Amino acid sequence: MSHRIDYTKAAPEGYKAFGGVYAYLQKCSLPEDLIMQVYLRVSQINGCAYCIDMHSRDLIKQGMTVDKLVLIPVWREAGSVFDDRERAALAWAETVTRVAETGVPDADYAAATAQFNDRELADLTYAIGLMNAFNRLGVTFRVAPAAAR
C-alpha cells in the first residue's frame, strides 16, 4: 500500500475540527471503552487498517482481553462476552455505518433507545459518524497501520 497525502498537514484546520469532536466524545456521557469498541467495529466494517490497528491497541491498553477483542466482528455469536449496552452499541454502529443499505430501520432505533437515553444515543451516533469520516480519510489516503511501518 502506498501512502498518498498526509491529510493532517494538507488541511490542518479540517483535522482540528474533527479533533474537536473527538475531544468532546472523550468527555461525553458514554464510557470510553464502549466508544472505543464502536470505533473498532466501524473501522472493521469500512476496512481501515490504520484505525483497526490503532483501536485494537487502545482497547488492549485499556484492559480489554484479547479473547473479547477478537470477538468484536462476531459479537452477535459471542454469547455473554458483550453486555446488553455493548451489543446495542455495536448493533447501532453497524446499522448507522451501513446506512445506505439499512436505512436505519425503526426496529434498530427501538433497540438502541431501549439501552441509551437521548443524549447517549446522540453521542454514540456522533462517535459513529466521526469514525466513518476518519475511516474514509485513512482508506482514501492509504494511511499505513503502525504494524506495517
Coordinates of all heavy atoms in Angstrom, one line a residue, residues 34 37-39 41-42 45 72-76 82-99 102-105 107-113 115-116 121 124-125 128 132:
L34 N -16.6 1.7 25.7 CA -17.7 1.5 24.8 C -17.5 2.2 23.5 O -17.7 1.7 22.4 CB -19.0 1.9 25.4 CG -20.3 1.6 24.6 CD1 -20.6 0.1 24.5 CD2 -21.5 2.4 25.2
Q37 N -14.9 0.5 21.4 CA -15.4 -0.7 20.7 C -16.2 -0.4 19.5 O -16.0 -1.0 18.4 CB -16.3 -1.5 21.7 CG -15.6 -2.2 22.8 CD -16.6 -2.9 23.7 OE1 -17.3 -3.8 23.3 NE2 -16.5 -2.6 25.0
V38 N -16.9 0.7 19.6 CA -17.7 1.2 18.4 C -16.7 1.7 17.3 O -16.9 1.4 16.1 CB -18.7 2.3 18.8 CG1 -19.2 3.1 17.6 CG2 -19.8 1.7 19.6
Y39 N -15.7 2.4 17.7 CA -14.7 2.9 16.7 C -14.1 1.7 16.0 O -13.9 1.7 14.8 CB -13.6 3.6 17.4 CG -13.9 5.0 17.9 CD1 -13.0 5.7 18.8 CD2 -15.0 5.8 17.5 CE1 -13.2 7.0 19.2 CE2 -15.2 7.1 17.9 CZ -14.3 7.7 18.8 OH -14.5 8.9 19.2
R41 N -15.4 -1.4 15.6 CA -16.3 -2.1 14.8 C -16.6 -1.3 13.5 O -16.7 -1.9 12.4 CB -17.7 -2.3 15.5 CG -18.6 -3.2 14.7 CD -18.1 -4.6 14.5 NE -18.9 -5.3 13.5 CZ -18.4 -5.7 12.4 NH1 -17.2 -5.6 12.0 NH2 -19.2 -6.3 11.5
V42 N -16.8 0.0 13.6 CA -17.0 0.8 12.4 C -15.8 0.7 11.5 O -15.9 0.5 10.3 CB -17.2 2.3 12.8 CG1 -17.1 3.2 11.6 CG2 -18.6 2.4 13.5
I45 N -15.8 -2.6 9.6 CA -16.8 -2.6 8.5 C -16.2 -1.9 7.3 O -16.3 -2.3 6.2 CB -18.1 -2.0 9.0 CG1 -18.8 -2.9 10.0 CG2 -19.0 -1.7 7.8 CD1 -19.9 -2.2 10.7
I72 N -15.1 -9.0 18.6 CA -15.9 -7.8 18.2 C -16.5 -8.0 16.8 O -17.7 -7.7 16.6 CB -15.1 -6.5 18.3 CG1 -14.9 -6.2 19.8 CG2 -15.7 -5.4 17.6 CD1 -14.1 -5.0 20.2
P73 N -15.8 -8.5 15.8 CA -16.5 -8.7 14.5 C -17.7 -9.6 14.5 O -18.6 -9.5 13.6 CB -15.4 -9.2 13.5 CG -14.1 -9.0 14.3 CD -14.4 -8.9 15.7
V74 N -17.7 -10.5 15.4 CA -18.8 -11.6 15.5 C -19.5 -11.5 16.9 O -19.9 -12.5 17.4 CB -18.2 -13.0 15.3 CG1 -17.7 -13.1 13.8 CG2 -17.1 -13.3 16.2
W75 N -19.7 -10.3 17.3 CA -20.3 -10.1 18.7 C -21.6 -10.7 18.8 O -22.0 -11.2 19.9 CB -20.3 -8.6 19.0 CG -21.2 -7.8 18.0 CD1 -20.8 -7.2 16.9 CD2 -22.6 -7.6 18.1 NE1 -21.9 -6.6 16.2 CE2 -23.0 -6.9 17.0 CE3 -23.6 -8.0 19.1 CZ2 -24.3 -6.5 16.8 CZ3 -24.9 -7.6 18.9 CH2 -25.3 -6.9 17.7
R76 N -22.4 -10.8 17.8 CA -23.7 -11.5 17.8 C -23.6 -12.9 18.3 O -24.5 -13.5 18.9 CB -24.4 -11.4 16.5 CG -24.9 -10.0 16.1 CD -25.6 -10.0 14.8 NE -25.6 -8.7 14.2 CZ -26.4 -7.7 14.4 NH1 -27.3 -7.8 15.4 NH2 -26.4 -6.5 13.8
F82 N -20.3 -9.9 25.6 CA -20.7 -8.5 25.5 C -22.0 -8.3 26.3 O -22.9 -9.1 26.1 CB -20.9 -8.0 24.0 CG -19.6 -8.2 23.2 CD1 -19.3 -9.3 22.5 CD2 -18.6 -7.1 23.3 CE1 -18.1 -9.4 21.8 CE2 -17.5 -7.3 22.6 CZ -17.2 -8.4 21.8
D83 N -22.0 -7.2 27.1 CA -23.2 -6.9 27.8 C -24.3 -6.3 26.9 O -24.1 -6.0 25.7 CB -23.0 -6.1 29.1 CG -22.5 -4.7 28.8 OD1 -22.8 -4.1 27.8 OD2 -21.7 -4.2 29.7
D84 N -25.5 -6.1 27.5 CA -26.6 -5.5 26.7 C -26.3 -4.2 26.0 O -26.6 -4.0 24.9 CB -27.9 -5.4 27.5 CG -28.4 -6.8 27.9 OD1 -28.1 -7.8 27.3 OD2 -29.2 -6.8 28.9
R85 N -25.6 -3.3 26.8 CA -25.3 -2.0 26.2 C -24.3 -2.1 25.1 O -24.3 -1.4 24.1 CB -24.9 -1.0 27.3 CG -26.1 -0.5 28.1 CD -25.7 0.4 29.2 NE -24.9 1.6 28.9 CZ -25.4 2.8 28.7 NH1 -26.7 3.0 28.7 NH2 -24.6 3.8 28.4
E86 N -23.3 -3.0 25.3 CA -22.3 -3.2 24.3 C -22.9 -3.7 23.0 O -22.6 -3.3 21.9 CB -21.2 -4.1 24.8 CG -20.3 -3.5 25.8 CD -19.3 -4.5 26.5 OE1 -19.7 -5.7 26.7 OE2 -18.2 -4.1 26.8
R87 N -23.8 -4.7 23.2 CA -24.4 -5.3 22.0 C -25.3 -4.3 21.3 O -25.3 -4.2 20.1 CB -25.3 -6.5 22.4 CG -24.4 -7.7 22.7 CD -25.3 -9.0 22.8 NE -26.2 -9.0 23.9 CZ -25.9 -9.4 25.2 NH1 -24.6 -9.8 25.4 NH2 -26.8 -9.3 26.1
A88 N -26.0 -3.4 22.1 CA -26.8 -2.4 21.4 C -26.0 -1.4 20.7 O -26.3 -0.9 19.6 CB -27.7 -1.7 22.5
A89 N -24.8 -1.0 21.3 CA -23.9 0.0 20.7 C -23.3 -0.6 19.4 O -23.2 0.1 18.4 CB -22.8 0.4 21.6
L90 N -22.9 -1.8 19.4 CA -22.3 -2.5 18.2 C -23.4 -2.6 17.1 O -23.1 -2.4 16.0 CB -21.7 -3.8 18.6 CG -20.5 -3.7 19.5 CD1 -20.1 -5.0 20.1 CD2 -19.3 -3.0 18.8
A91 N -24.6 -3.0 17.5 CA -25.7 -3.1 16.5 C -26.0 -1.7 15.9 O -26.1 -1.6 14.7 CB -26.9 -3.7 17.1
W92 N -26.0 -0.7 16.7 CA -26.3 0.7 16.2 C -25.1 1.1 15.3 O -25.4 1.7 14.3 CB -26.5 1.6 17.4 CG -26.9 3.0 17.1 CD1 -26.2 4.2 17.2 CD2 -28.2 3.4 16.5 NE1 -27.0 5.2 16.8 CE2 -28.2 4.8 16.3 CE3 -29.3 2.6 16.2 CZ2 -29.3 5.5 15.8 CZ3 -30.4 3.3 15.6 CH2 -30.4 4.7 15.5
A93 N -23.9 0.8 15.7 CA -22.8 1.2 14.9 C -22.9 0.5 13.5 O -22.6 1.1 12.5 CB -21.5 0.7 15.6
E94 N -23.3 -0.7 13.5 CA -23.4 -1.4 12.2 C -24.5 -0.8 11.3 O -24.3 -0.6 10.1 CB -23.7 -2.9 12.4 CG -22.4 -3.6 13.0 CD -22.6 -5.1 13.2 OE1 -23.8 -5.6 13.0 OE2 -21.7 -5.7 13.7
T95 N -25.7 -0.6 11.9 CA -26.8 -0.1 11.1 C -26.6 1.3 10.6 O -26.9 1.7 9.5 CB -28.2 -0.3 11.8 OG1 -29.2 -0.1 10.8 CG2 -28.3 0.7 12.9
V96 N -25.9 2.2 11.4 CA -25.7 3.5 11.1 C -24.5 3.6 10.0 O -24.6 4.4 9.1 CB -25.4 4.4 12.3 CG1 -24.9 5.8 11.9 CG2 -26.6 4.5 13.2
T97 N -23.5 2.8 10.2 CA -22.4 2.8 9.3 C -22.9 2.3 7.9 O -22.4 2.8 6.9 CB -21.3 1.8 9.8 OG1 -20.8 2.5 11.0 CG2 -20.1 1.7 8.8
R98 N -23.8 1.3 7.9 CA -24.3 0.8 6.6 C -25.6 1.5 6.2 O -26.5 0.8 5.6 CB -24.5 -0.7 6.8 CG -23.2 -1.5 7.0 CD -23.5 -3.0 7.2 NE -22.2 -3.7 7.2 CZ -21.9 -4.6 8.1 NH1 -22.8 -4.9 9.0 NH2 -20.8 -5.2 8.0
V99 N -25.8 2.7 6.5 CA -27.0 3.5 6.3 C -27.6 3.4 4.9 O -28.8 3.3 4.7 CB -26.8 5.0 6.8 CG1 -25.8 5.7 5.9 CG2 -28.2 5.7 6.8
T102 N -29.1 -0.1 5.1 CA -30.1 -0.4 6.1 C -31.3 0.6 6.2 O -32.4 0.3 6.6 CB -29.5 -0.5 7.5 OG1 -29.1 0.8 7.9 CG2 -28.3 -1.5 7.5
G103 N -30.9 1.9 5.9 CA -31.9 2.9 6.1 C -32.2 3.2 7.6 O -33.1 3.9 7.9
V104 N -31.4 2.5 8.5 CA -31.6 2.6 9.9 C -33.1 2.4 10.3 O -33.8 3.3 10.6 CB -31.0 3.9 10.5 CG1 -31.0 3.8 12.0 CG2 -29.6 4.2 10.0
P105 N -33.5 1.1 10.2 CA -34.9 0.8 10.4 C -35.4 1.2 11.9 O -34.6 1.2 12.8 CB -35.0 -0.7 10.2 CG -33.7 -1.2 10.0 CD -32.7 0.0 9.9
A107 N -36.9 -0.7 13.9 CA -36.6 -1.7 14.9 C -35.2 -1.5 15.5 O -35.0 -1.7 16.7 CB -36.7 -3.1 14.3
D108 N -34.2 -1.1 14.7 CA -32.9 -0.8 15.1 C -32.9 0.4 16.1 O -32.2 0.4 17.1 CB -31.9 -0.6 14.0 CG -31.7 -1.8 13.1 OD1 -32.1 -2.9 13.5 OD2 -31.0 -1.7 12.1
Y109 N -33.7 1.4 15.7 CA -33.8 2.6 16.6 C -34.4 2.2 17.9 O -33.9 2.6 19.0 CB -34.6 3.7 15.9 CG -34.8 4.9 16.7 CD1 -33.8 5.8 16.9 CD2 -36.0 5.1 17.4 CE1 -34.0 6.9 17.7 CE2 -36.2 6.2 18.2 CZ -35.2 7.2 18.3 OH -35.4 8.3 19.1
A110 N -35.4 1.4 17.9 CA -36.1 1.0 19.1 C -35.1 0.2 20.0 O -35.1 0.4 21.2 CB -37.3 0.1 18.8
A111 N -34.3 -0.7 19.4 CA -33.4 -1.5 20.2 C -32.3 -0.6 20.8 O -31.9 -0.8 22.0 CB -32.7 -2.5 19.3
A112 N -31.9 0.5 20.1 CA -30.9 1.4 20.7 C -31.5 2.2 21.8 O -30.8 2.4 22.8 CB -30.3 2.3 19.5
T113 N -32.7 2.7 21.6 CA -33.3 3.5 22.6 C -33.7 2.8 23.9 O -33.9 3.4 24.9 CB -34.5 4.3 22.1 OG1 -35.5 3.4 21.6 CG2 -34.1 5.3 21.0
Q115 N -31.6 0.9 25.4 CA -30.4 0.9 26.1 C -29.8 2.3 26.4 O -29.0 2.4 27.4 CB -29.3 0.0 25.4 CG -29.7 -1.4 25.4 CD -29.7 -2.0 26.8 OE1 -28.9 -1.7 27.7 NE2 -30.6 -2.9 27.0
F116 N -30.1 3.2 25.6 CA -29.5 4.5 25.6 C -30.5 5.7 25.7 O -31.5 5.6 25.0 CB -28.5 4.8 24.4 CG -27.5 3.8 24.3 CD1 -27.5 2.7 23.4 CD2 -26.4 3.8 25.2 CE1 -26.5 1.8 23.3 CE2 -25.3 2.9 25.1 CZ -25.4 1.8 24.1
L121 N -27.6 8.3 23.0 CA -27.7 7.9 21.6 C -27.1 8.9 20.6 O -26.5 8.6 19.6 CB -29.2 7.6 21.3 CG -29.4 6.9 19.9 CD1 -28.7 5.6 19.9 CD2 -30.9 6.7 19.7
L124 N -23.4 8.5 20.9 CA -23.0 7.3 20.2 C -23.0 7.5 18.7 O -22.1 7.1 18.0 CB -23.9 6.2 20.6 CG -23.6 4.8 20.1 CD1 -22.3 4.3 20.5 CD2 -24.7 3.8 20.5
T125 N -24.0 8.2 18.2 CA -24.1 8.5 16.8 C -23.0 9.5 16.3 O -22.5 9.3 15.2 CB -25.5 8.9 16.4 OG1 -26.4 8.0 17.0 CG2 -25.7 9.0 14.9
I128 N -20.0 7.3 15.9 CA -20.0 6.5 14.7 C -19.8 7.4 13.5 O -19.0 7.0 12.6 CB -21.4 5.8 14.6 CG1 -21.6 4.8 15.7 CG2 -21.6 5.2 13.2 CD1 -23.0 4.4 16.0
N132 N -16.6 7.0 10.9 CA -16.8 6.8 9.5 C -16.0 7.8 8.7 O -15.4 7.5 7.7 CB -18.3 6.8 9.2 CG -18.9 5.5 9.3 OD1 -18.8 4.6 8.5 ND2 -19.7 5.3 10.4

